[in-house]
Amino acid sequence: MQVDYIIVGLGLAGLAFTKELEKNNKSYLVFENHSQNSSMVAGGVYNPVVLKRFTPVWNATEQLAIALPFYEDLEILFKKKYHFKFDIYRIFKSVEEQNNWFMASDNPVLSNYMSTKLINEKHEGILADFGYGKLINTGRIDTKTLLEDYQDYLLDRDLIKYESFQYSELKITENGVEYKGLKASKIVFCEGFGLKNNPFFNELPMQEAKGELITIHAPNLNVDFLIKSALFVFPLGNNLYKVGATFNWKDKTQLPTEEGKNELTTKLESFITVPYKIVEHIAGIRPTVKDRRPLVGKHPKHPNLAVLNGLGTRGVMIAPTVAKALYDHLENGIALDKEISIARFL
Ligand SMILES: Cc1cc2nc3c(=O)[nH]c(=O)nc-3n(C[C@H](O)[C@H](O)[C@H](O)COP(=O)(O)OP(=O)(O)OC[C@H]3O[C@@H](n4cnc5c(N)ncnc54)[C@H](O)[C@@H]3O)c2cc1C
């Protein structure tokens, strides 16, 4: 059997790259072993403003211009809704924060998103003595449902194998690669934190950033926006809310922990006062890089081996842009932006 591409890993990176291949009529086969689950557990929120400092997120406007139509196309393909728009209400902790917000909202890059009005609405069960700053043109992608549907779509067309890719079985040939009898012109590794096991690329500086999330049932919390304070809380419908996320730079497991749950509930109760019940508790590892930029590019010695990774905390916005950049690089020789190219570490 011969394909144009072998893809290892079907999280947001693998999904975005295979869509790029489909757009360009390239054949491919995906290997997926369910060893990582970052894209499955992700909150899926997209937001172009850093809510700690009120500064623009790196290249967010450009990324969103590619990402939103990308997810819309998938909604059309599967006749299902994955994109849920909502405003973000950032709880102010002080007058100083209010001032910082209004100064930042003058920035032309941010003015599309940051409302210049102080929001003083009262909402049952939310402590917000200094009011809120409101972000518009934000929302979330239901990445879990999208990925599940995409896996089924690939399975129906025999384009995915649920097995571990064994690196030791990969042969690098003159014109491409060969893996257990399957020939391909190129292979793209999209393993998320699984990159650590990849002997071709494991020297790239990936850091684990484990995150835990809970889903709560809170019938008295009647909000249709995302609340951001020590954590985010956003509505899922039916009185359910997703709450997250923690950051743990040491734990490499994907297991939810008691410590994580305690951190989430303590922080949640610092700004939400209504009763709630925890109905789900999940965890995953964000594939982050020390300079907070993606890892994209060809292997320095084997140009038919490439990597698409390092989506960090913002995979929803970044994945479609970097998948396109990698495709254009591999097929059309277009140089990668230095900020995303793995050449910066090699
Ligand atoms: C708790 C949490 C909350 C988050 N919230 C958000 C958010 O609100 N917004 C946002 O934009 N981002 C968020 N993220 C980050 C986002 O999830 C990531 O940026 C993105 O999902 C990474 O996608 P990926 O495809 O690179 O990796 P992954 O999703 O980890 O996918 C890699 C895939 O490769 C497979 N794989 C690995 N090794 C092998 C192998 N040898 N053989 C076969 N398959 C293999 C794995 O099983 C996995 O399916 C969050 C992450 C976490 C953990």
Side-chain angles (χ1 to χ4, degrees), residues 8-14 31-46 163-165 167 190-194 209-213 232 245 283-287 308-317:
V8 182
L10 192 80
L12 285 172
F31 289 85
E32 168 54 51
N33 68 357
H34 297 118
S35 59
Q36 295 293 323
N37 64 354
S38 187
S39 304
M40 284 289 189
V41 303
V45 176
Y46 65 86
E163 58 185 63
S164 260
F165 185 85
Y167 304 96
C190 308
E191 308 111 313
F193 189 63
K210 177 173 176 175
E212 300 192 35
L213 294 153
F232 64 67
I285 302 186
R286 306 168 183 90
L308 187 63
N309 210 316
L311 303 185
T313 57
R314 300 183 196 276
V316 163
M317 287 204 301

Side-chain angles (χ1 to χ4, degrees), residues 40 42 47 70 99 108 134-135 139 170 177 188 207 217 220 224 229-230 238 266 271 273 297-298 303 305 311-312 344:
M40 284 289 189
N47 156 33
F70 172 87
N99 291 337
K134 180 160 114 176
L135 283 176
L170 184 71
V177 294
V188 177
Q207 286 171 309
H217 184 245
N220 299 341
D224 60 0
S229 185
N238 299 325
T266 306
F271 62 101
T273 57
K298 293 183 211 168
L305 274 55
L311 303 185
R344 70 194 191 277

Side-chain angles (χ1 to χ4, degrees), residues 13 29 51 77-78 100-101 104 107 114 161 181 197 219 230 289 295 297 338:
L29 184 68
L51 286 174
L77 178 67
F78 296 128
N100 293 343
W101 175 278
N107 179 336
M114 294 175 83
K161 276 189 189 296
N197 303 319
V289 183
L295 296 170
K338 282 190 189 128

Side-chain angles (χ1 to χ4, degrees), residues 92 97-106 115-118:
F92 290 133
E97 271 201 349
Q98 293 172 347
N99 291 337
N100 293 343
W101 175 278
F102 296 116
M103 266 160 60
S105 62
D106 271 351
S115 159
T116 49
K117 279 195 204 130
L118 173 67

